[in-house]
Amino acid sequence: MRRTRLMYTGLAALLVLGGWTASGTGQAAADDSPTAVEPASAGLLQAMQRDLGLSKDRAEARLAAERTAMDLTPKARKAAGSTYGGSWFDAQSERLTVAVTSDAPPATVGKVRATGVSVRTVAHSARQLDATKARIDRLSAPSGVSSWHVDPMANTVVVNVVRDKRADNDVRKFVSRARATGPVTVETVGAAPSTFAAGTVGGDPYYTGNVRCSIGFSVHGGFITAGHCGQAGAGVRGWDGSYIGNFQGSSFPDNDYAWVNVGSGWWTVPVVLGWGTIPDRLVRGSAEAPVGTSICRSGSTTHWHCGAVLAKNETVNYSQGAVHQMTKTSVCAEPGDSGGSFISGDQAQGVTSGGWGNCSGGGETWFQPVNEILGRYGLTLHTA
């Protein structure tokens, strides 16, 4: 937007884009230093009640417990060392559970438990499961295979197959080869994944060519978004048709991330739009939320929705090719939401990639983790 507009108008218009940015240049990595936890807004609690089926009291308690789990995760993983088997948030007990292998010395188990987490003994370490998934990543997957990821709770690698493709010969061959790589189980999903870009719709947020997507998070000098929204060098226009900047880097498939520089009278702020459902959220860091915690998404089509983190480090098999190291959630999304913000409390989590289903009937959505994007391009998250 032009500098001739009032500053307040400019800020509001940028917020409508669904992501956020800041001018300047920065070095690598995110700011995830500890900060005071804000009281949950009424709007956020209402969204969690709507999307997660929680009462107001339970939503408040869960947010507090999830923030504790986020803080404990790196401490417990360090204590477990090579015996670490993964971790997840248990929504029933509202505690973080950390898996350790059965050969873990009693002293190691004691150190893990002393961090304040629940401990579960498993057969395979996270390193072994990650190695199994890496071997599956080297296989060529048919379209009937949706995705695969490490499931720490089941202590296995889960391969997801589209329900009506289970009997397909290519799918059966892939599953057989996957089982040979290590501990693997097979589950079914309702539909194949697809990205959430959309054709141009008048009056809605950022555009490149005839594609509309959503801004993710501010970084010093620009914003991050989904790679499938535009190739390096492509120009980006705002809601009013004015020039914002260009894609400075983009990767899709294999990854699904990109970043855009900001100039020409546009400026940036460390905010995620609440779309009137909740107050706009300040971004204060990028501490990673554990599997099982609640998470919310902001996008230019379906606005603000919440769900839970279902899996991490999942490989998603889009029709354009596989995308790696994705996080799966139960949050819904629709075309035009691509690139938008996934946030847990005030901590940035990632940018919307794709999924299946919609916000009327439900579905699943994947995001590319924010810290990976920052590290890849040497960017610094803009925080409040």
Side-chain angles (χ1 to χ4, degrees):
M1 109 192 12
R2 308 302 185 187
R3 290 193 185 278
T4 54
R5 293 176 181 260
L6 293 174
M7 179 176 291
Y8 180 82
T9 304
L11 176 60
L14 179 58
L15 295 183
V16 171
L17 289 174
W20 330 124
T21 49
S23 59
T25 57
Q27 304 300 314
D31 175 8
D32 56 1
S33 55
T35 57
V37 180
E38 295 180 84
S41 69
L44 175 58
L45 295 174
Q46 289 169 5
M48 293 182 69
Q49 291 174 70
R50 177 197 68 196
D51 294 336
L52 298 176
L54 301 174
S55 67
K56 179 177 179 292
D57 289 345
R58 293 314 315 152
E60 289 177 330
R62 180 159 171 173
L63 285 171
E66 288 175 349
R67 188 53 190 259
T68 298
M70 290 170 67
D71 293 340
L72 290 178
T73 298
K75 300 175 184 177
R77 180 166 190 161
K78 182 177 180 180
S82 62
T83 70
Y84 179 71
S87 61
W88 61 93
F89 179 80
D90 186 329
Q92 297 300 317
S93 65
E94 295 187 339
R95 294 188 66 189
L96 183 71
T97 298
V98 174
V100 297
T101 54
S102 55
D103 59 353
T108 297
V109 176
K111 288 180 181 178
V112 175
R113 188 170 281 116
T115 64
V117 304
S118 298
V119 178
R120 180 183 296 181
T121 301
V122 296
H124 309 289
S125 69
R127 184 177 302 174
Q128 291 171 319
L129 294 176
D130 287 342
T132 296
K133 181 184 174 294
R135 287 190 283 271
I136 299 175
D137 282 344
R138 292 192 285 269
L139 303 178
S140 178
S143 60
V145 176
S146 169
S147 62
W148 51 96
H149 69 273
V150 171
D151 184 341
M153 288 177 279
N155 197 227
T156 186
V157 176
V158 175
V159 174
N160 295 297
V161 174
V162 178
R163 186 171 294 111
D164 60 4
K165 299 292 184 180
R166 288 176 296 179
D168 182 87
N169 285 336
D170 289 339
V171 170
R172 295 173 67 179
K173 288 178 182 177
F174 179 88
V175 168
S176 178
R177 295 178 66 190
R179 290 187 188 279
T181 65
V184 168
T185 58
V186 177
E187 296 183 0
T188 58
V189 295
S194 61
T195 56
F196 285 130
T200 300
V201 177
D204 271 334
Y206 94 83
Y207 304 92
T208 178
N210 65 346
V211 171
R212 171 172 60 85
C213 283
S214 303
I215 293 175
F217 292 97
S218 6
V219 295
H220 291 289
F223 65 81
I224 57 175
T225 187
H228 70 263
C229 291
Q231 297 181 344
V236 173
R237 293 170 287 118
W239 68 277
D240 61 353
S242 66
Y243 173 76
I244 297 176
N246 294 79
F247 279 84
Q248 299 297 300
S250 180
S251 178
F252 179 79
D254 187 29
N255 306 292
D256 194 5
Y257 50 59
W259 83 281
V260 175
N261 68 324
V262 167
S264 302
W266 289 78
W267 66 92
T268 59
V269 289
V271 172
V272 170
L273 184 64
W275 293 100
T277 301
I278 70 164
D280 299 339
R281 304 293 293 170
L282 290 174
V283 178
R284 300 187 184 278
S286 59
E288 188 176 338
V291 170
T293 55
S294 61
I295 193 168
C296 298
R297 178 192 56 72
S298 182
S300 62
T301 299
T302 58
H303 300 172
W304 184 270
H305 286 275
C306 300
V309 178
L310 300 179
K312 294 185 179 183
N313 191 23
E314 183 153 28
T315 299
V316 182
N317 190 35
Y318 293 129
S319 61
Q320 300 94 330
V323 176
H324 304 92
Q325 295 179 309
M326 303 274 270
T327 297
K328 180 165 66 176
T329 77
S330 62
V331 186
C332 68
E334 295 180 10
D337 287 327
S338 279
S341 322
F342 266 92
I343 188 167
S344 179
D346 57 12
Q347 300 296 302
Q349 298 299 311
V351 299
T352 304
S353 173
W356 62 270
N358 54 51
C359 289
S360 297
E364 294 176 337
T365 301
W366 288 271
F367 67 80
Q368 190 89 66
V370 64
N371 290 329
E372 179 186 0
I373 308 172
L374 300 176
R376 168 62 180 82
Y377 293 119
L379 302 169
T380 301
L381 187 67
H382 184 207
T383 57

